[in-house]
Amino acid sequence: MTAEEITRYVVARAIWAPSVHNSQPWRFTADGGPRLSLHADTSRRLAAADPDGREMMISCGAALFGVRLALRSLGYVPETSVLPEPGQPTLVARVSWRKRADPDEFERRLASHLLTRRTHRGAFDPEPLVPDTLAALRAGAASEGAMLRIVADDGHRAALAAVIQAAEHQLRRDGERLRELARWTPAPGSTSPDGVPATSYPARPEHTEPDFPARDFARGHGWGLPPLSLATAHRAAGVAGLLTTAADRPADWVHAGQALQRILLTASACGAAVALHSQPLELPWLREFIRTQLSDGAHPHLVLRVGMVTQVSASVRRDPEDVLFPAGP
Ligand SMILES: Cc1cc2nc3c(=O)[nH]c(=O)nc-3n(C[C@H](O)[C@H](O)[C@H](O)COP(=O)(O)O)c2cc1C
């Protein structure tokens, strides 16, 4: 493959990273050589929900992990520098590839989930996780400079669920945030290549005990997927966890994003699915509550729930050609 072909292959996989509201806040530039740059597209930052751009940088970090993993799957060793230019805060990373080394079996397996992994929304089946799944997720987060804290204690789990309930209650009453959510929640049948489509969330909220409410993507329109079965019994909340970093600078947000995509792909490779909740992390006082009460002072970025479930949801992305540009002035 030429460097240009490699770039296109890598970008076509990196764009399937998760991003807040599927805003896909990234663009890539390449000069035809064995290197590319990943930029944050600030026009896609959520002005109301994400004024500091933290979720935007987490999303870009997730795409960066996809770049690295896709290169590994082709047998290249990526050399990555995160936020390489202090004067250019939207230049998230530069990645180059020259050296070769065969990918190992685990890298191949992770890469095979880049295009097919989907965010889960709702409850899980009662089936337990495959043994060692959680250990693999935690090790994956640590290897990217973040931490996945499993919230196993019943009291802490109930507190975490209550914080999400409080956040969701607040967000549903905030006009500015609701208008922003509307921008990223296209109606069924829309051909929009971004935002959260109605094919990716259940029409009927799936409650669990304790209850971790989903975002209200349908906003009262009744949009969403019909239930797979009418059975409501024995649906589980899954294993709850918090993704955290020791510090809270933009570089830490990019590390959190790389850790997130590694966690999600590792879960997929273990046959598990992951639900994400960032509602309380968008409200400073609830984020601070989680930091001091539930994550030992580490900075929280996302609440995750991991479990087993049959997934039918579908998502959308922009065309790789729409996010890849020639490098230049
Ligand atoms: C920083 C961040 C925050 C997110 N917050 C939520 C959330 O609160 N609720 C949710 O259902 N999904 C959340 N997601 C998942 C995105 O909505 C999802 O990645 C996007 O819609 C694309 O879908 P896919 O992951 O299935 O490809 C979040 C993702 C990121 C990166």
Side-chain angles (χ1 to χ4, degrees):
M1 288 168 90
T2 64
E4 268 175 44
E5 286 165 343
I6 292 170
T7 300
R8 278 203 296 274
Y9 179 93
V10 162
V11 169
R13 277 146 190 81
I15 57 171
W16 284 94
S19 63
V20 63
H21 293 1
N22 201 17
S23 52
Q24 306 167 44
W26 44 64
R27 42 198 298 279
F28 300 84
T29 55
D31 63 4
R35 63 195 82 86
L36 62 77
S37 297
L38 164 60
H39 308 258
D41 179 347
T42 53
S43 69
R44 291 174 166 266
R45 181 178 58 84
L46 308 183
D50 187 29
D52 300 332
R54 188 177 55 84
E55 293 187 285
M56 175 183 74
M57 294 305 256
I58 293 173
S59 305
C60 288
L64 175 58
F65 183 78
V67 168
R68 291 168 44 210
L69 182 62
L71 284 168
R72 288 299 301 125
S73 74
L74 293 176
Y76 287 97
V77 180
E79 286 174 33
T80 307
S81 88
V82 169
L83 296 171
E85 301 284 347
Q88 289 184 55
T90 59
L91 175 55
V92 177
R94 284 201 187 106
V95 184
S96 61
W97 57 93
R98 287 190 182 279
K99 289 189 216 133
R100 300 210 60 145
D102 282 342
D104 62 28
E105 181 50 32
F106 187 61
E107 288 170 319
R108 281 185 215 275
R109 264 179 69 199
L110 282 196
S112 74
H113 289 262
L114 273 166
L115 299 176
T116 51
R117 172 217 59 84
R118 292 281 77 80
T119 298
H120 178 64
R121 301 190 173 91
F124 293 99
D125 296 337
E127 219 181 308
L129 295 172
V130 171
D132 299 335
T133 299
L134 294 179
L137 302 185
R138 294 181 54 169
S143 68
E144 298 297 333
M147 189 166 174
L148 176 65
R149 294 160 189 267
I150 304 302
V151 183
D153 172 82
D154 279 348
H156 286 173
R157 204 169 127 89
L160 191 57
V163 173
I164 297 174
Q165 292 162 24
E168 194 50 38
H169 181 75
Q170 168 81 27
L171 297 180
R172 289 183 192 202
R173 293 151 61 98
D174 182 327
E176 200 188 342
R177 286 170 194 258
L178 285 176
R179 279 189 292 281
E180 186 168 82
L181 184 63
R183 149 75 179 93
W184 296 106
T185 45
S190 159
T191 55
S192 175
D194 52 21
V196 183
T199 51
S200 69
Y201 52 85
R204 249 194 269 152
E206 295 179 359
H207 297 290
T208 55
E209 182 52 46
D211 196 28
F212 290 79
R215 284 190 191 262
D216 186 15
F217 293 116
R219 297 172 289 108
H221 293 293
W223 301 340
L225 294 166
L228 270 187
S229 89
L230 294 176
T232 52
H234 308 305
R235 300 281 284 155
V239 176
L242 277 166
L243 178 64
T244 67
T245 50
D248 200 23
R249 300 155 306 188
D252 302 296
W253 306 340
V254 178
H255 293 314
Q258 294 182 86
L260 173 65
Q261 180 64 321
R262 188 185 272 275
I263 289 169
L264 299 180
L265 295 170
T266 304
S268 279
C270 295
V274 182
L276 302 175
H277 297 269
S278 55
Q279 302 103 314
L281 289 322
E282 292 173 358
L283 296 167
W285 63 96
L286 289 179
R287 186 169 185 235
E288 184 61 7
F289 176 85
I290 294 176
R291 186 180 77 77
T292 55
Q293 305 301 313
L294 299 170
S295 63
D296 292 330
H299 298 275
H301 299 291
L302 272 169
V303 178
L304 288 78
R305 291 184 295 115
V306 188
M308 305 297 279
V309 74
T310 306
Q311 282 194 285
V312 292
S313 58
S315 191
V316 292
R317 290 298 187 277
R318 287 179 291 162
D319 196 288
E321 303 295 319
D322 293 338
V323 296
L324 177 58
F325 300 91

